[in-house]
RNA sequence: GCGGAAGUGGCGGAACUGGCAGACGCACCAGCUUGAGGGGCUGGCGCCCGUAAGGGCGUGGGGGUUCGAAUCCCCCCUUCCGCACCA
């Protein structure tokens, strides 16, 4: 976290010095399970635990010198903030974007609460890793799927987002185009299998293979399964098999550990293209929540179906042949794996001979015209289940009334305040349900006794819109003023860990669009630029209390100072990479800052009394130092924004300091190496004869202190003041940079002969290509390599290199 | 399996549009600072041959494009990350 806040702070400080109006806010995402669990464990109220932690961390951030706009500080656990969660929930409820339904939900036994799909990682809880089980519960859901298409399509325009995040979101939304097709009741009498009571609708992306569909598979949870069971000769056995599949460990199923299994329902359905009856089976690998919960089995062209057919001896029919003319035609009898590539259709009635892709289109049309199917788009994205059976979260502002049903709490009655006196058991039923004063309330509509909803909201609701609240953090009439958000929004620069790639960043994109459709914001995408910063590791592991490898920023501040810590963390690697923490690196940063301090402190009398450089005539060394000063001013700014290479910005600062030392050395100026030793004789004061030398030193030192300040604000402010400036580094602004001064006077150009560097020439900057070529060919270093050879070609590359080709 | 990112000295990394590979720093080595430690300063530090001058090799491996490749293309290997029976 500290690294992330530093990155943002350096950008904010640069932009402020460049004259931008910078909103650099901070808030506390303070609801959630850790506080509640700590409360149970330590017998302290979650609110106290949370507020104490906030106070501690705020002190730490301030000691690090992170320049936050504390007057806009928010904490999501305070009614000032969460009332607007409730307000927004109410708006969504009115629009059908928030709804309640009974469904299977992910349940974490350890956290004793529901998890959203996004919060299930490798079949376990994202927070504690406990394997997730399924429970049937009444759940409030937010209809994120209403925005699925838009959330997907807009990713194409987020061109500054990391590819990784875009890909993860695309996969998560998981759009696939295909068709829904009905496998109907067999009509003709006299079959051995009985008629079923309804068509079975399947979803497929490969309708072109439908002539090879030789069976239909239902998910064990599919509604028809129970109907078939009831009508079967042995309902108990039937139900038992289905129940066994349903009970199979979901985690094992997800990791592919459970073998594919199924059983025959004894029913048939008619393939709407072949007209042939096909058996209907129940299979453990078919997912009820995806598509229609039923699929057609095409063993020749789908590997899962192939394995299933082999295991249960179901017929295999090849309907796509690879187009590769040399290939041996596939035959069902000899097939050892499904062929899922493109090719030409065979044994597909009127579609035979078409390319599979064309067949796909034509067969979808055909199905539609005959009323047996239609094109369909399917998403993997599910609606977002937000009910949590815990205490420390935003109360859901709904009242359940026996006569009026579910009624939203009117805006005037918001916030629904979280009661303070609650018993925490961690048992997994909502703690609020045991607080009668909270639960019992008159129905807002009819006034009769009614009961409040006792679940609280997923804390990701809190973090899905807080960035707009910062723009107008003290507004008590609305979540924010639209004009104010129009001024600030969208967020220009957003940095955080890649762990937010799906959860937070997709929810926020969803909420932004809800606000847009409510007329509160005009933008779609909340975050214009996204940086996913790498984590800081210690001994190859993520720092965590349980591993005992945490580096406490306060310890580092005490030992080396906040500035050294900031400089080191920025220098050690580019922001998006992971870094391994090493103490010696921090020592190096502290050493560098001591070096800066010594030189600036030593030169102070010269700097304070120096003339401005305008109108002076400088010697070569002085011009070189000015060149370094001006080019570093430019480079540091560009390395921060737009390049976001904070590590090379620090390198540039170090190079400048090295040059400053070298220049000073040439002029007999050298600060004492032991400034901290009071017994050491004081260094003689700097003696500078030339007006011009004093001027370039002053220019360099003043600029250095300023351009270092985003990284090392404390050191820079102190030195800046000592250098006789009054109003601080931000008021001073980013130093002006003069292209003419920064430009090299002459350049060294390598000369290659047949691709090898054989010499170097020095030419005035801006020399013409012809002059450079002539100088290269005349060079004493190069000439021996041209003796007796014929020069075929000479290339002068952008004034940077000469390449001579000889035979 | 699918997808994303990445492989450069002992280490972290630099090389911005194809143009001097290894900037900057860490570690290490040698020297100076009247002794030690600490601090500071100077120099060295990719690999191989060579006392040296100099030469050869070198950005995971192999091929290619180009006057020129860490950078572009093809194949392969490795690592990390994400998704994973999505029909």
């Amino acid at each position: 976290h500290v690294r992330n806040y530093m990155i943002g702070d350096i950008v904010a400080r640069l932009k402020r010095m460049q004259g931008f109006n910078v909103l650099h806010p901070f808030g506390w995402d303070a609801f959630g399970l850790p506080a509640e669990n700590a409360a149970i464990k330590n017998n302290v109220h979650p609110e106290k635990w949370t507020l104490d932690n906030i106070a501690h961390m705020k002190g730490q951030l301030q000691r690090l010198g992170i320049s936050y706009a504390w007057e806009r500080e928010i904490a999501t656990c305070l009614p000032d903030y969460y009332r607007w969660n409730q307000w927004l929930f109410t708006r969504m409820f009115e629009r059908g974007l928030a709804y309640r339904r009974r469904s299977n939900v992910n349940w974490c036994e350890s956290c004793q609460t529901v998890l959203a799909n996004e919060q299930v990682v490798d079949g376990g809880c994202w927070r504690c890793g406990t394997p997730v089980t399924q429970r049937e519960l009444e759940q409030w859901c937010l209809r994120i799927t209403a925005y699925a298409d838009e959330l997907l399509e807009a990713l194409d325009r987020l061109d500054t987002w990391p590819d990784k995040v875009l890909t993860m979101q695309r996969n998560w939304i998981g759009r696939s185009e295909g068709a829904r097709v009905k496998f109907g009741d067999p009509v003709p009498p006299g079959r051995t299998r009985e008629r079923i009571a309804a068509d079975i609708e399947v979803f497929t992306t490969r309708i072109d293979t439908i002539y090879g569909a030789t069976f239909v598979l239902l998910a064990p949870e599919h509604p028809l399964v129970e109907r078939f069971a009831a009508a079967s000769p042995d309902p108990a056995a039937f139900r038992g098999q289905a129940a066994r599949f349903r009970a199979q460990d979901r985690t094992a199923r997800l990791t592919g550990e459970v073998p594919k299994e199924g059983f025959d329902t004894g029913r048939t359905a008619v393939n709407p293209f072949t007209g042939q009856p096909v058996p209907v089976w129940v299979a453990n690998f078919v997912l009820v929540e995806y598509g229609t919960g039923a699929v057609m089995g095409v063993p020749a062209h789908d590997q899962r179906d192939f394995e299933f057919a082999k295991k249960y001896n179901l017929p295999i029919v090849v309907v796509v042949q690879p187009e590769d003319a040399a290939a041996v035609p596939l035959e069902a009898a000899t097939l050892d794996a499904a062929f899922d590539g493109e090719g030409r259709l065979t044994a597909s009635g009127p579609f035979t001979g078409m390319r599979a892709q064309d067949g796909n289109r034509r067969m979808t049309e055909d199905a539609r015209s005959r009323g047996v199917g239609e094109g369909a788009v399917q998403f993997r994205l599910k609606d977002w289940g937000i009910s949590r059976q815990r205490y420390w979260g935003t109360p859901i502002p709904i009242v359940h009334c026996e006569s009026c049903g579910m009624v939203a709490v009117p805006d005037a009655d918001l916030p629904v305040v979280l009661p303070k006196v609650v018993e925490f058991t961690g048992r997994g039923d909502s703690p609020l349900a045991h607080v009668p004063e909270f639960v019992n309330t008159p129905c807002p509509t009819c006034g009769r006794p009614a009961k409040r909803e006792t679940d609280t909201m997923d804390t990701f609701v809190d973090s899905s819109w807080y960035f707009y609240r910062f723009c107008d953090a003290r507004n008590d009439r609305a979540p924010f003023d639209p004009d104010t958000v129009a001024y600030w929004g969208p967020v220009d620069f957003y940095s955080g860990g890649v762990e937010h790639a799906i959860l937070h960043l997709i929810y926020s994109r969803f909420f932004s669009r809800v606000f847009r459709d409510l007329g509160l914001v005009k933008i779609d995408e909340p975050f214009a630029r996204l940086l996913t910063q790498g984590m800081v590791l210690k001994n190859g592991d993520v720092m965590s209390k349980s591993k005992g490898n945490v580096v406490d920023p306060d310890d580092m501040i005490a030992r080396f100072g906040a500035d050294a810590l900031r400089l080191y963390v920025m220098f050690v690697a580019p922001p998006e990479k992971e870094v391994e923490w090493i103490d010696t690196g921090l020592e190096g940063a502290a050493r560098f800052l001591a070096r800066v301090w010594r030189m600036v402190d030593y030169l102070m009398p010269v700097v304070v009394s120096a003339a401005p450089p305008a109108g002076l005539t400088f010697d070569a060394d002085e011009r070189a130092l000015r060149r370094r000063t001006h080019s570093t001013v430019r480079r540091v700014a560009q390395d921060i924004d737009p390049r976001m290479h904070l590590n090379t910005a620090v390198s540039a600062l170090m190079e400048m300091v090295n040059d400053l030392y070298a220049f000073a050395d040439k002029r007999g100026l050298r600060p004492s190496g032991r400034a901290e030793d009071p017994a050491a004789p004081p260094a003689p004061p700097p003696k500078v004869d030339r007006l011009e030398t004093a001027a370039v030193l002053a220019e360099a030192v003043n600029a250095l202190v300023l351009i270092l300040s985003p990284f090392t604000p404390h050191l820079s402010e102190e030195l800046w003041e000592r250098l006789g400036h009054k109003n601080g580094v931000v008021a001073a602004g980013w130093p002006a940079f003069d292209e003419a001064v920064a430009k090299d006077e002459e350049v060294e150009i390598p000369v290659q002969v047949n691709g090898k560097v054989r010499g170097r020439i020095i030419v005035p900057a801006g020399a013409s290509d012809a002059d450079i070529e002539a100088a290269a060919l005349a060079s004493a270093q190069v000439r021996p390599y041209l003796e007796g050879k014929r020069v075929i070609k000479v290339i002068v590359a952008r004034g940077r290199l000469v390449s001579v080709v000889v035979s």
Side-chain angles (χ1 to χ4, degrees):
Chain A
H1 284 136
V2 164
R3 185 183 187 200
N4 185 28
Y5 303 149
M6 286 174 176
I7 292 167
D9 191 49
I10 283 155
V11 175
R13 285 179 182 271
L14 169 74
K15 289 291 157 193
R16 226 175 263 135
M17 289 178 79
Q18 288 178 330
F20 289 90
N21 192 9
V22 177
L23 174 45
H24 186 214
F26 194 80
W28 310 94
D29 188 13
F31 268 143
L33 270 179
E36 191 166 339
N37 289 340
I40 294 166
K41 194 172 157 194
N42 304 325
N43 199 24
V44 56
H45 195 276
E47 184 175 53
K48 177 172 168 41
W49 189 86
T50 301
L51 296 178
D52 286 354
N53 275 305
I54 286 176
H56 174 72
M57 286 180 65
K58 185 171 179 178
Q60 249 176 355
L61 292 174
Q62 289 173 331
R63 282 190 290 284
L64 285 163
I66 313 288
S67 59
Y68 286 130
W70 289 110
E71 73 278 7
R72 294 168 184 269
E73 177 182 6
I74 58 180
T76 58
C77 61
L78 300 177
D80 283 358
Y81 183 84
Y82 69 68
R83 70 177 287 191
W84 302 112
N85 283 347
Q86 296 171 339
W87 179 91
L88 181 64
F89 180 91
T90 305
R91 300 289 86 75
M92 292 173 82
F93 179 64
E94 290 162 359
R95 283 160 179 75
L97 288 172
Y99 63 95
R100 193 164 140 104
R101 72 156 179 224
R102 187 166 188 86
S103 65
N104 262 320
V105 296
N106 307 301
W107 181 261
C108 174
E109 200 54 46
S110 161
C111 297
Q112 288 283 304
T113 191
V114 165
L115 301 171
N117 289 323
E118 289 82 357
Q119 292 164 337
V120 179
V121 177
D122 291 338
C125 171
W126 68 300
R127 196 182 289 109
C128 65
T130 304
V132 167
T133 55
Q134 298 296 300
R135 262 199 190 191
E136 202 175 274
L137 276 182
E138 288 280 343
Q139 265 271 290
W140 283 97
C141 291
L142 301 184
R143 207 178 293 281
I144 190 172
T145 53
Y147 292 89
D149 248 325
E150 195 192 335
L151 287 169
L152 179 71
E153 180 259 346
L155 290 171
D156 293 341
R157 293 189 295 278
L158 289 174
D159 43 20
T160 67
W161 280 36
D163 288 342
K164 177 179 188 156
V165 174
L166 296 175
T167 307
M168 284 169 76
Q169 292 217 354
R170 284 193 184 101
N171 291 342
W172 190 261
I173 296 169
R175 182 182 198 273
S176 54
E177 277 183 42
R180 287 170 184 253
V181 187
K182 284 178 191 148
F183 280 63
D185 268 344
V187 180
R191 306 262 180 210
T192 54
R193 288 167 182 272
E194 287 176 56
R195 281 196 60 168
I196 57 175
D199 294 339
I200 300 173
E201 194 175 33
V202 303
F203 175 74
T204 178
T205 55
R206 289 297 303 273
I207 193 175
D208 49 296
T209 64
I210 198 166
Y211 280 83
T214 51
F215 49 94
V216 167
L217 300 175
L218 300 178
E221 299 87 353
H222 195 285
L224 279 176
V225 170
E226 174 49 33
R227 281 168 64 182
F228 291 168
S232 75
D234 186 351
F238 194 113
R239 289 193 182 106
Q241 294 192 85
R244 189 169 63 79
F245 289 170
R246 282 196 295 267
Q248 275 174 344
D249 185 88
R250 206 174 164 76
T251 310
R253 275 175 71 180
L254 287 175
T255 48
E257 282 163 26
V258 175
K260 291 175 182 40
E261 270 191 278
F263 65 88
D264 189 349
T265 64
R267 307 281 181 158
T268 56
V270 174
N271 181 322
F273 278 77
T274 63
Q276 296 299 305
V278 296
V280 177
W281 286 55
V282 173
N284 64 344
F285 64 91
V286 178
L287 307 172
V288 70
E289 67 269 21
Y290 188 76
T292 60
V295 298
M296 64 184 201
V298 185
H301 304 293
D302 180 283
Q303 187 58 28
R304 294 158 299 189
D305 298 344
F306 181 79
E307 288 166 28
F308 196 79
K310 281 288 180 194
K311 179 165 182 172
Y312 295 108
N313 229 348
L314 293 162
I316 299 175
V317 176
V318 172
V319 292
V320 182
Q321 289 290 351
E323 283 204 78
D324 182 358
V328 183
L330 303 173
E331 277 181 60
T334 57
L335 214 55
D336 56 5
F339 170 69
D340 59 6
E342 294 298 336
R344 280 195 192 271
L345 299 179
T346 60
S348 295
F351 305 95
T352 299
M354 285 183 190
R355 300 176 64 179
Q357 290 144 303
D358 299 330
N360 195 298
R361 209 168 39 246
R362 299 281 289 275
M363 287 151 99
T364 304
E365 278 167 33
D366 183 65
R368 193 182 49 78
S369 68
R370 294 191 289 119
V372 296
E374 60 185 347
V377 172
Q378 185 64 43
F379 292 95
R380 295 184 53 203
L381 184 71
K382 300 284 182 309
D383 280 340
W384 173 15
I386 59 154
S387 296
R388 295 293 179 271
Q389 293 68 43
R390 299 297 298 241
Y391 164 71
W392 194 231
T394 304
I396 293 173
I398 290 288
V399 173
H400 299 275
C401 170
E402 284 196 3
S403 36
C404 307
M406 290 181 291
V407 180
V409 175
D411 288 357
D413 296 340
L414 297 180
V416 176
V417 177
L418 199 57
K420 286 225 170 43
V421 186
V422 175
E423 194 198 348
F424 307 108
T425 61
R427 270 201 314 259
D429 52 348
S430 304
L432 293 180
H434 304 291
V435 185
E437 318 80 89
F438 176 81
V439 173
N440 296 312
T441 187
C443 168
T445 306
C446 68
R448 276 181 279 199
K451 293 195 183 301
R452 286 191 194 280
E453 171 69 49
T454 56
D455 283 353
T456 54
M457 295 184 199
D458 184 0
T459 57
F460 276 93
V461 172
D462 312 345
S463 57
S464 294
W465 68 280
Y466 73 104
F467 34 89
Y468 291 139
R469 180 70 180 170
F470 281 133
C471 302
D472 196 12
R474 299 291 168 258
N475 194 328
D476 59 4
R477 292 181 310 281
F480 49 79
D481 169 51
D483 291 338
T484 308
V485 167
Y487 171 75
W488 289 109
V491 176
D492 294 293
F493 177 69
Y494 200 51
S495 72
V498 73
E499 70 273 15
H500 296 122
I502 297 203
L503 293 154
H504 168 58
L505 288 172
I506 213 161
Y507 295 147
S508 296
R509 297 181 63 228
F510 163 46
F511 267 41
S512 246
R513 287 168 167 78
V514 173
F515 277 118
R516 180 199 61 197
D517 293 346
L518 289 171
L520 280 133
V521 301
K522 294 193 176 69
I523 40 189
D524 300 337
E525 289 296 337
F527 311 120
R529 181 162 183 198
L530 176 70
L531 179 103
T532 50
Q533 127 265 354
M535 284 186 290
V536 182
L537 311 180
K538 180 79 187 288
N539 307 329
D541 261 324
V542 177
M543 288 188 189
S544 75
K545 275 188 195 159
S546 58
K547 293 194 182 100
N549 62 347
V550 174
V551 175
D552 183 351
D554 280 336
D555 290 349
M556 296 299 125
I557 292 170
R559 283 172 61 197
F560 300 100
D563 286 349
L565 179 59
R566 292 168 61 112
L567 193 79
Y568 164 63
V569 172
M570 295 304 104
F571 175 60
V572 70
E576 53 292 328
K577 282 198 73 160
E578 286 188 342
V579 300
E580 173 71 25
W581 178 267
I582 13 170
D583 284 345
T584 53
L586 182 52
E587 287 163 23
R591 201 144 57 217
F592 168 74
L593 293 183
R595 206 163 127 85
V596 169
W597 179 275
R598 279 198 307 273
M599 180 59 88
V600 175
D601 186 55
Y602 169 72
L603 290 177
M604 207 155 281
V606 177
V607 173
V608 168
S609 59
L616 299 174
T617 307
F618 300 103
D619 66 27
D621 287 336
E622 289 159 354
R623 289 200 301 274
L625 182 60
R626 294 199 73 199
R627 206 149 55 228
R628 174 61 84 184
T629 300
H630 282 257
S631 61
T632 306
V633 165
R634 171 182 52 185
R635 183 168 160 200
V636 170
Q638 287 183 345
D639 276 0
I640 298 173
D641 180 59
R643 296 188 70 212
M644 284 306 301
H645 288 203
L646 302 188
N647 53 330
T648 57
V650 177
S651 301
L653 289 162
M654 289 172 167
E655 286 176 55
M656 179 177 169
V657 171
N658 288 344
D659 277 8
L660 178 59
Y661 265 83
F663 176 83
D665 211 36
K666 279 192 182 177
R667 301 288 150 124
L669 303 167
R670 174 178 293 234
S672 161
R674 30 178 58 204
E676 74 291 344
D677 181 356
K687 214 162 90 26
V688 176
D689 301 326
R690 283 171 55 82
L691 201 60
E692 292 81 3
T693 301
V696 296
L697 283 171
E699 182 182 48
V701 167
N702 281 323
L704 175 65
V705 169
L706 290 176
I707 64 181
L708 204 48
S709 72
F711 297 89
T712 62
H714 310 88
L715 177 102
S716 287
E717 290 288 4
E718 180 67 22
L719 286 175
W720 191 244
E721 191 178 299
R722 289 184 181 219
L723 287 167
H725 305 291
K726 287 283 174 284
N727 294 319
V729 297
V730 174
W734 196 253
F737 137 80
D738 185 339
E739 181 88 46
V741 176
K743 215 166 75 182
D744 286 324
E745 294 168 9
E746 42 188 29
V747 286
E748 190 186 77
I749 296 180
V751 183
Q752 295 181 343
V753 179
N754 285 352
K756 290 203 183 296
V757 177
R758 297 300 186 182
R760 291 157 204 286
I761 54 171
I762 293 179
V763 297
S768 72
D769 284 0
D771 290 347
I772 293 172
E773 179 176 336
L777 293 176
S779 155
Q781 293 166 308
V782 173
R783 257 189 328 225
Y785 293 94
L786 306 179
E787 297 281 318
K789 304 274 175 62
R790 194 164 55 87
V791 175
I792 297 170
K793 200 177 191 184
V794 180
I795 294 141
V796 180
R798 276 177 278 154
R800 276 204 261 175
L801 176 140
V802 180
S803 183
V804 184
V805 188
V806 299
S807 63

